[in-house]
PDB file of all heavy atoms in Angstrom:
ATOM      1  N   ALA A 355     -16.978 -26.963  53.138  1.00  0.00           N
ATOM      2  CA  ALA A 355     -15.776 -27.276  53.886  1.00  0.00           C
ATOM      3  C   ALA A 355     -16.206 -27.677  55.295  1.00  0.00           C
ATOM      4  O   ALA A 355     -17.142 -27.090  55.867  1.00  0.00           O
ATOM      5  CB  ALA A 355     -14.848 -26.073  53.943  1.00  0.00           C
ATOM      6  N   ILE A 356     -15.559 -28.732  55.814  1.00  0.00           N
ATOM      7  CA  ILE A 356     -15.963 -29.275  57.129  1.00  0.00           C
ATOM      8  C   ILE A 356     -14.855 -29.006  58.143  1.00  0.00           C
ATOM      9  O   ILE A 356     -13.713 -29.406  57.904  1.00  0.00           O
ATOM     10  CB  ILE A 356     -16.219 -30.817  57.010  1.00  0.00           C
ATOM     11  CG1 ILE A 356     -16.873 -31.198  55.692  1.00  0.00           C
ATOM     12  CG2 ILE A 356     -16.978 -31.314  58.241  1.00  0.00           C
ATOM     13  CD1 ILE A 356     -18.201 -30.592  55.399  1.00  0.00           C
ATOM     14  N   PHE A 357     -15.189 -28.342  59.221  1.00  0.00           N
ATOM     15  CA  PHE A 357     -14.191 -28.007  60.255  1.00  0.00           C
ATOM     16  C   PHE A 357     -14.567 -28.580  61.624  1.00  0.00           C
ATOM     17  O   PHE A 357     -15.630 -28.233  62.132  1.00  0.00           O
ATOM     18  CB  PHE A 357     -14.116 -26.475  60.478  1.00  0.00           C
ATOM     19  CG  PHE A 357     -13.990 -25.625  59.265  1.00  0.00           C
ATOM     20  CD1 PHE A 357     -14.598 -24.358  59.254  1.00  0.00           C
ATOM     21  CD2 PHE A 357     -13.266 -26.019  58.158  1.00  0.00           C
ATOM     22  CE1 PHE A 357     -14.471 -23.522  58.157  1.00  0.00           C
ATOM     23  CE2 PHE A 357     -13.139 -25.189  57.053  1.00  0.00           C
ATOM     24  CZ  PHE A 357     -13.750 -23.954  57.041  1.00  0.00           C
ATOM     25  N   PRO A 358     -13.677 -29.302  62.272  1.00  0.00           N
ATOM     26  CA  PRO A 358     -13.866 -29.533  63.709  1.00  0.00           C
ATOM     27  C   PRO A 358     -13.342 -28.283  64.435  1.00  0.00           C
ATOM     28  O   PRO A 358     -12.285 -27.771  64.054  1.00  0.00           O
ATOM     29  CB  PRO A 358     -12.982 -30.739  63.988  1.00  0.00           C
ATOM     30  CG  PRO A 358     -11.948 -30.748  62.910  1.00  0.00           C
ATOM     31  CD  PRO A 358     -12.475 -29.973  61.759  1.00  0.00           C
ATOM     32  N   LEU A 359     -14.074 -27.820  65.429  1.00  0.00           N
ATOM     33  CA  LEU A 359     -13.657 -26.584  66.125  1.00  0.00           C
ATOM     34  C   LEU A 359     -12.313 -26.834  66.838  1.00  0.00           C
ATOM     35  O   LEU A 359     -11.423 -25.997  66.798  1.00  0.00           O
ATOM     36  CB  LEU A 359     -14.725 -26.187  67.136  1.00  0.00           C
ATOM     37  CG  LEU A 359     -14.578 -24.819  67.807  1.00  0.00           C
ATOM     38  CD1 LEU A 359     -14.541 -23.707  66.757  1.00  0.00           C
ATOM     39  CD2 LEU A 359     -15.731 -24.592  68.775  1.00  0.00           C
ATOM     40  N   THR A 360     -12.171 -28.030  67.452  1.00  0.00           N
ATOM     41  CA  THR A 360     -10.892 -28.388  68.086  1.00  0.00           C
ATOM     42  C   THR A 360     -10.462 -29.747  67.559  1.00  0.00           C
ATOM     43  O   THR A 360     -11.253 -30.452  66.951  1.00  0.00           O
ATOM     44  CB  THR A 360     -11.025 -28.476  69.616  1.00  0.00           C
ATOM     45  OG1 THR A 360     -11.842 -29.618  69.908  1.00  0.00           O
ATOM     46  CG2 THR A 360     -11.644 -27.232  70.232  1.00  0.00           C
ATOM     47  N   LYS A 361      -9.175 -30.060  67.889  1.00  0.00           N
ATOM     48  CA  LYS A 361      -8.662 -31.341  67.382  1.00  0.00           C
ATOM     49  C   LYS A 361      -8.896 -32.453  68.406  1.00  0.00           C
ATOM     50  O   LYS A 361      -8.218 -33.489  68.348  1.00  0.00           O
ATOM     51  CB  LYS A 361      -7.172 -31.217  67.096  1.00  0.00           C
ATOM     52  CG  LYS A 361      -6.868 -30.374  65.842  1.00  0.00           C
ATOM     53  CD  LYS A 361      -5.398 -30.419  65.482  1.00  0.00           C
ATOM     54  CE  LYS A 361      -4.991 -29.222  64.669  1.00  0.00           C
ATOM     55  NZ  LYS A 361      -3.561 -29.074  64.534  1.00  0.00           N
ATOM     56  N   LYS A 362      -9.769 -32.240  69.363  1.00  0.00           N
ATOM     57  CA  LYS A 362      -9.994 -33.276  70.387  1.00  0.00           C
ATOM     58  C   LYS A 362     -11.502 -33.502  70.624  1.00  0.00           C
ATOM     59  O   LYS A 362     -12.300 -33.024  69.814  1.00  0.00           O
ATOM     60  CB  LYS A 362      -9.274 -32.905  71.686  1.00  0.00           C
ATOM     61  CG  LYS A 362      -9.476 -31.492  72.171  1.00  0.00           C
ATOM     62  CD  LYS A 362      -8.601 -31.256  73.394  1.00  0.00           C
ATOM     63  CE  LYS A 362      -9.053 -30.138  74.273  1.00  0.00           C
ATOM     64  NZ  LYS A 362      -9.422 -28.855  73.819  1.00  0.00           N
ATOM     65  N   ASP A 363     -11.792 -34.260  71.650  1.00  0.00           N
ATOM     66  CA  ASP A 363     -13.187 -34.542  72.086  1.00  0.00           C
ATOM     67  C   ASP A 363     -14.038 -35.211  70.994  1.00  0.00           C
ATOM     68  O   ASP A 363     -15.239 -34.979  70.917  1.00  0.00           O
ATOM     69  CB  ASP A 363     -13.869 -33.222  72.513  1.00  0.00           C
ATOM     70  CG  ASP A 363     -13.140 -32.513  73.653  1.00  0.00           C
ATOM     71  OD1 ASP A 363     -12.430 -33.221  74.388  1.00  0.00           O
ATOM     72  OD2 ASP A 363     -13.253 -31.271  73.764  1.00  0.00           O
ATOM     73  N   GLY A 364     -13.382 -35.963  70.159  1.00  0.00           N
ATOM     74  CA  GLY A 364     -14.148 -36.687  69.102  1.00  0.00           C
ATOM     75  C   GLY A 364     -14.595 -35.828  67.962  1.00  0.00           C
ATOM     76  O   GLY A 364     -15.310 -36.297  67.054  1.00  0.00           O
ATOM     77  N   GLN A 365     -14.240 -34.561  67.976  1.00  0.00           N
ATOM     78  CA  GLN A 365     -14.709 -33.665  66.882  1.00  0.00           C
ATOM     79  C   GLN A 365     -14.136 -34.015  65.514  1.00  0.00           C
ATOM     80  O   GLN A 365     -14.876 -34.087  64.522  1.00  0.00           O
ATOM     81  CB  GLN A 365     -14.459 -32.192  67.252  1.00  0.00           C
ATOM     82  CG  GLN A 365     -15.354 -31.694  68.361  1.00  0.00           C
ATOM     83  CD  GLN A 365     -15.065 -30.256  68.729  1.00  0.00           C
ATOM     84  OE1 GLN A 365     -14.480 -29.527  67.967  1.00  0.00           O
ATOM     85  NE2 GLN A 365     -15.523 -29.875  69.924  1.00  0.00           N
ATOM     86  N   PRO A 366     -12.765 -34.276  65.414  1.00  0.00           N
ATOM     87  CA  PRO A 366     -12.249 -34.653  64.096  1.00  0.00           C
ATOM     88  C   PRO A 366     -12.896 -35.915  63.571  1.00  0.00           C
ATOM     89  O   PRO A 366     -13.192 -36.009  62.362  1.00  0.00           O
ATOM     90  CB  PRO A 366     -10.742 -34.861  64.338  1.00  0.00           C
ATOM     91  CG  PRO A 366     -10.463 -34.057  65.562  1.00  0.00           C
ATOM     92  CD  PRO A 366     -11.690 -34.100  66.400  1.00  0.00           C
ATOM     93  N   GLU A 367     -13.143 -36.891  64.464  1.00  0.00           N
ATOM     94  CA  GLU A 367     -13.775 -38.147  63.997  1.00  0.00           C
ATOM     95  C   GLU A 367     -15.166 -37.890  63.430  1.00  0.00           C
ATOM     96  O   GLU A 367     -15.535 -38.390  62.382  1.00  0.00           O
ATOM     97  CB  GLU A 367     -13.859 -39.166  65.183  1.00  0.00           C
ATOM     98  CG  GLU A 367     -12.519 -39.716  65.658  1.00  0.00           C
ATOM     99  CD  GLU A 367     -11.708 -38.743  66.519  1.00  0.00           C
ATOM    100  OE1 GLU A 367     -12.224 -37.643  66.834  1.00  0.00           O
ATOM    101  OE2 GLU A 367     -10.554 -39.081  66.864  1.00  0.00           O
ATOM    102  N   MET A 368     -15.911 -37.086  64.165  1.00  0.00           N
ATOM    103  CA  MET A 368     -17.257 -36.767  63.684  1.00  0.00           C
ATOM    104  C   MET A 368     -17.197 -36.002  62.350  1.00  0.00           C
ATOM    105  O   MET A 368     -17.955 -36.278  61.406  1.00  0.00           O
ATOM    106  CB  MET A 368     -18.005 -35.934  64.736  1.00  0.00           C
ATOM    107  CG  MET A 368     -19.429 -35.672  64.355  1.00  0.00           C
ATOM    108  SD  MET A 368     -20.338 -34.883  65.698  1.00  0.00           S
ATOM    109  CE  MET A 368     -21.876 -34.519  64.895  1.00  0.00           C
ATOM    110  N   ALA A 369     -16.259 -35.080  62.252  1.00  0.00           N
ATOM    111  CA  ALA A 369     -16.096 -34.284  61.028  1.00  0.00           C
ATOM    112  C   ALA A 369     -15.738 -35.199  59.866  1.00  0.00           C
ATOM    113  O   ALA A 369     -16.288 -35.073  58.768  1.00  0.00           O
ATOM    114  CB  ALA A 369     -15.021 -33.223  61.221  1.00  0.00           C
ATOM    115  N   ASN A 370     -14.869 -36.152  60.118  1.00  0.00           N
ATOM    116  CA  ASN A 370     -14.472 -37.089  59.034  1.00  0.00           C
ATOM    117  C   ASN A 370     -15.636 -37.977  58.570  1.00  0.00           C
ATOM    118  O   ASN A 370     -15.739 -38.309  57.394  1.00  0.00           O
ATOM    119  CB  ASN A 370     -13.272 -37.922  59.460  1.00  0.00           C
ATOM    120  CG  ASN A 370     -11.981 -37.174  59.175  1.00  0.00           C
ATOM    121  OD1 ASN A 370     -11.758 -36.719  58.022  1.00  0.00           O
ATOM    122  ND2 ASN A 370     -11.141 -36.995  60.162  1.00  0.00           N
ATOM    123  N   ARG A 371     -16.480 -38.363  59.559  1.00  0.00           N
ATOM    124  CA  ARG A 371     -17.660 -39.169  59.137  1.00  0.00           C
ATOM    125  C   ARG A 371     -18.565 -38.335  58.240  1.00  0.00           C
ATOM    126  O   ARG A 371     -19.092 -38.823  57.247  1.00  0.00           O
ATOM    127  CB  ARG A 371     -18.434 -39.617  60.410  1.00  0.00           C
ATOM    128  CG  ARG A 371     -17.807 -40.824  61.112  1.00  0.00           C
ATOM    129  CD  ARG A 371     -18.799 -41.491  62.073  1.00  0.00           C
ATOM    130  NE  ARG A 371     -19.277 -40.600  63.118  1.00  0.00           N
ATOM    131  CZ  ARG A 371     -18.616 -40.353  64.269  1.00  0.00           C
ATOM    132  NH1 ARG A 371     -17.437 -40.976  64.496  1.00  0.00           N
ATOM    133  NH2 ARG A 371     -19.090 -39.539  65.185  1.00  0.00           N
ATOM    134  N   ILE A 372     -18.674 -37.053  58.546  1.00  0.00           N
ATOM    135  CA  ILE A 372     -19.536 -36.171  57.716  1.00  0.00           C
ATOM    136  C   ILE A 372     -18.904 -36.006  56.332  1.00  0.00           C
ATOM    137  O   ILE A 372     -19.585 -36.092  55.322  1.00  0.00           O
ATOM    138  CB  ILE A 372     -19.722 -34.818  58.440  1.00  0.00           C
ATOM    139  CG1 ILE A 372     -20.560 -35.018  59.696  1.00  0.00           C
ATOM    140  CG2 ILE A 372     -20.345 -33.788  57.500  1.00  0.00           C
ATOM    141  CD1 ILE A 372     -20.741 -33.779  60.552  1.00  0.00           C
ATOM    142  N   VAL A 373     -17.580 -35.823  56.308  1.00  0.00           N
ATOM    143  CA  VAL A 373     -16.880 -35.694  55.007  1.00  0.00           C
ATOM    144  C   VAL A 373     -17.156 -36.924  54.157  1.00  0.00           C
ATOM    145  O   VAL A 373     -17.504 -36.819  52.969  1.00  0.00           O
ATOM    146  CB  VAL A 373     -15.347 -35.500  55.220  1.00  0.00           C
ATOM    147  CG1 VAL A 373     -14.596 -35.704  53.914  1.00  0.00           C
ATOM    148  CG2 VAL A 373     -15.075 -34.119  55.802  1.00  0.00           C
ATOM    149  N   ASP A 374     -16.993 -38.114  54.772  1.00  0.00           N
ATOM    150  CA  ASP A 374     -17.198 -39.376  54.020  1.00  0.00           C
ATOM    151  C   ASP A 374     -18.625 -39.472  53.462  1.00  0.00           C
ATOM    152  O   ASP A 374     -18.836 -39.902  52.337  1.00  0.00           O
ATOM    153  CB  ASP A 374     -16.949 -40.581  54.881  1.00  0.00           C
ATOM    154  CG  ASP A 374     -15.436 -40.765  55.119  1.00  0.00           C
ATOM    155  OD1 ASP A 374     -14.657 -40.160  54.351  1.00  0.00           O
ATOM    156  OD2 ASP A 374     -15.064 -41.492  56.065  1.00  0.00           O
ATOM    157  N   ASP A 375     -19.581 -38.991  54.249  1.00  0.00           N
ATOM    158  CA  ASP A 375     -20.962 -39.076  53.838  1.00  0.00           C
ATOM    159  C   ASP A 375     -21.241 -38.071  52.688  1.00  0.00           C
ATOM    160  O   ASP A 375     -21.931 -38.413  51.728  1.00  0.00           O
ATOM    161  CB  ASP A 375     -21.866 -38.761  55.045  1.00  0.00           C
ATOM    162  CG  ASP A 375     -23.316 -38.778  54.654  1.00  0.00           C
ATOM    163  OD1 ASP A 375     -23.699 -39.698  53.895  1.00  0.00           O
ATOM    164  OD2 ASP A 375     -24.067 -37.866  55.097  1.00  0.00           O
ATOM    165  N   LEU A 376     -20.718 -36.869  52.813  1.00  0.00           N
ATOM    166  CA  LEU A 376     -21.023 -35.831  51.792  1.00  0.00           C
ATOM    167  C   LEU A 376     -20.276 -36.041  50.497  1.00  0.00           C
ATOM    168  O   LEU A 376     -20.722 -35.636  49.430  1.00  0.00           O
ATOM    169  CB  LEU A 376     -20.658 -34.446  52.353  1.00  0.00           C
ATOM    170  CG  LEU A 376     -21.496 -33.952  53.555  1.00  0.00           C
ATOM    171  CD1 LEU A 376     -21.037 -32.540  53.923  1.00  0.00           C
ATOM    172  CD2 LEU A 376     -22.982 -33.935  53.240  1.00  0.00           C
ATOM    173  N   ARG A 377     -19.109 -36.692  50.600  1.00  0.00           N
ATOM    174  CA  ARG A 377     -18.203 -36.809  49.438  1.00  0.00           C
ATOM    175  C   ARG A 377     -18.875 -37.467  48.233  1.00  0.00           C
ATOM    176  O   ARG A 377     -18.559 -37.147  47.084  1.00  0.00           O
ATOM    177  CB  ARG A 377     -16.979 -37.623  49.873  1.00  0.00           C
ATOM    178  CG  ARG A 377     -15.857 -37.576  48.902  1.00  0.00           C
ATOM    179  CD  ARG A 377     -14.589 -38.034  49.576  1.00  0.00           C
ATOM    180  NE  ARG A 377     -13.771 -36.894  49.966  1.00  0.00           N
ATOM    181  CZ  ARG A 377     -12.840 -36.948  50.903  1.00  0.00           C
ATOM    182  NH1 ARG A 377     -12.636 -38.047  51.576  1.00  0.00           N
ATOM    183  NH2 ARG A 377     -12.121 -35.878  51.191  1.00  0.00           N
ATOM    184  N   SER A 378     -19.795 -38.404  48.515  1.00  0.00           N
ATOM    185  CA  SER A 378     -20.457 -39.083  47.384  1.00  0.00           C
ATOM    186  C   SER A 378     -21.345 -38.114  46.592  1.00  0.00           C
ATOM    187  O   SER A 378     -21.659 -38.341  45.429  1.00  0.00           O
ATOM    188  CB  SER A 378     -21.316 -40.238  47.922  1.00  0.00           C
ATOM    189  OG  SER A 378     -22.271 -39.730  48.811  1.00  0.00           O
ATOM    190  N   ALA A 379     -21.731 -37.003  47.243  1.00  0.00           N
ATOM    191  CA  ALA A 379     -22.643 -36.077  46.564  1.00  0.00           C
ATOM    192  C   ALA A 379     -21.941 -34.814  46.080  1.00  0.00           C
ATOM    193  O   ALA A 379     -22.306 -34.267  45.021  1.00  0.00           O
ATOM    194  CB  ALA A 379     -23.807 -35.718  47.485  1.00  0.00           C
ATOM    195  N   PHE A 380     -21.007 -34.257  46.833  1.00  0.00           N
ATOM    196  CA  PHE A 380     -20.385 -32.981  46.489  1.00  0.00           C
ATOM    197  C   PHE A 380     -18.866 -33.031  46.672  1.00  0.00           C
ATOM    198  O   PHE A 380     -18.348 -33.839  47.443  1.00  0.00           O
ATOM    199  CB  PHE A 380     -20.889 -31.848  47.423  1.00  0.00           C
ATOM    200  CG  PHE A 380     -22.283 -31.960  47.890  1.00  0.00           C
ATOM    201  CD1 PHE A 380     -22.579 -32.266  49.201  1.00  0.00           C
ATOM    202  CD2 PHE A 380     -23.324 -31.707  47.003  1.00  0.00           C
ATOM    203  CE1 PHE A 380     -23.864 -32.310  49.643  1.00  0.00           C
ATOM    204  CE2 PHE A 380     -24.620 -31.762  47.432  1.00  0.00           C
ATOM    205  CZ  PHE A 380     -24.903 -32.072  48.749  1.00  0.00           C
ATOM    206  N   ALA A 381     -18.190 -32.023  46.045  1.00  0.00           N
ATOM    207  CA  ALA A 381     -16.774 -31.837  46.283  1.00  0.00           C
ATOM    208  C   ALA A 381     -16.647 -31.150  47.639  1.00  0.00           C
ATOM    209  O   ALA A 381     -17.171 -30.048  47.839  1.00  0.00           O
ATOM    210  CB  ALA A 381     -16.168 -30.950  45.197  1.00  0.00           C
ATOM    211  N   VAL A 382     -15.994 -31.833  48.601  1.00  0.00           N
ATOM    212  CA  VAL A 382     -15.888 -31.244  49.962  1.00  0.00           C
ATOM    213  C   VAL A 382     -14.410 -31.185  50.367  1.00  0.00           C
ATOM    214  O   VAL A 382     -13.557 -31.833  49.778  1.00  0.00           O
ATOM    215  CB  VAL A 382     -16.680 -32.049  51.004  1.00  0.00           C
ATOM    216  CG1 VAL A 382     -18.165 -31.914  50.768  1.00  0.00           C
ATOM    217  CG2 VAL A 382     -16.271 -33.524  50.980  1.00  0.00           C
ATOM    218  N   ASP A 383     -14.165 -30.377  51.386  1.00  0.00           N
ATOM    219  CA  ASP A 383     -12.806 -30.178  51.871  1.00  0.00           C
ATOM    220  C   ASP A 383     -12.836 -30.279  53.398  1.00  0.00           C
ATOM    221  O   ASP A 383     -13.783 -29.825  54.021  1.00  0.00           O
ATOM    222  CB  ASP A 383     -12.360 -28.773  51.438  1.00  0.00           C
ATOM    223  CG  ASP A 383     -10.877 -28.539  51.718  1.00  0.00           C
ATOM    224  OD1 ASP A 383     -10.116 -29.495  51.731  1.00  0.00           O
ATOM    225  OD2 ASP A 383     -10.507 -27.344  51.930  1.00  0.00           O
ATOM    226  N   TYR A 384     -11.789 -30.881  53.992  1.00  0.00           N
ATOM    227  CA  TYR A 384     -11.683 -30.985  55.454  1.00  0.00           C
ATOM    228  C   TYR A 384     -10.533 -30.117  55.895  1.00  0.00           C
ATOM    229  O   TYR A 384      -9.463 -30.136  55.275  1.00  0.00           O
ATOM    230  CB  TYR A 384     -11.411 -32.460  55.798  1.00  0.00           C
ATOM    231  CG  TYR A 384     -11.108 -32.671  57.273  1.00  0.00           C
ATOM    232  CD1 TYR A 384     -12.136 -32.784  58.206  1.00  0.00           C
ATOM    233  CD2 TYR A 384      -9.799 -32.758  57.743  1.00  0.00           C
ATOM    234  CE1 TYR A 384     -11.878 -32.998  59.544  1.00  0.00           C
ATOM    235  CE2 TYR A 384      -9.519 -32.959  59.097  1.00  0.00           C
ATOM    236  CZ  TYR A 384     -10.570 -33.070  60.000  1.00  0.00           C
ATOM    237  OH  TYR A 384     -10.299 -33.279  61.309  1.00  0.00           O
ATOM    238  N   ASP A 385     -10.743 -29.305  56.917  1.00  0.00           N
ATOM    239  CA  ASP A 385      -9.670 -28.424  57.358  1.00  0.00           C
ATOM    240  C   ASP A 385      -9.740 -28.307  58.878  1.00  0.00           C
ATOM    241  O   ASP A 385     -10.774 -27.908  59.451  1.00  0.00           O
ATOM    242  CB  ASP A 385      -9.834 -27.036  56.708  1.00  0.00           C
ATOM    243  CG  ASP A 385      -8.616 -26.142  56.989  1.00  0.00           C
ATOM    244  OD1 ASP A 385      -7.662 -26.587  57.654  1.00  0.00           O
ATOM    245  OD2 ASP A 385      -8.631 -24.978  56.503  1.00  0.00           O
ATOM    246  N   GLU A 386      -8.611 -28.647  59.543  1.00  0.00           N
ATOM    247  CA  GLU A 386      -8.613 -28.532  61.032  1.00  0.00           C
ATOM    248  C   GLU A 386      -7.504 -27.605  61.524  1.00  0.00           C
ATOM    249  O   GLU A 386      -7.297 -27.503  62.709  1.00  0.00           O
ATOM    250  CB  GLU A 386      -8.437 -29.947  61.644  1.00  0.00           C
ATOM    251  CG  GLU A 386      -7.148 -30.648  61.204  1.00  0.00           C
ATOM    252  CD  GLU A 386      -6.878 -31.961  61.935  1.00  0.00           C
ATOM    253  OE1 GLU A 386      -7.849 -32.629  62.386  1.00  0.00           O
ATOM    254  OE2 GLU A 386      -5.690 -32.293  62.100  1.00  0.00           O
TER     255      GLU A 386
END
Side-chain angles (χ1 to χ4, degrees):
I356 322 300
F357 311 147
L359 190 58
T360 68
K361 288 188 204 168
K362 48 184 201 313
D363 302 334
Q365 290 179 18
E367 291 77 4
M368 184 172 173
N370 274 307
R371 280 197 299 277
I372 292 175
V373 166
D374 286 344
D375 178 43
L376 295 181
R377 194 163 260 157
S378 59
F380 326 108
V382 291
D383 188 28
Y384 173 83
D385 189 1
E386 59 172 29

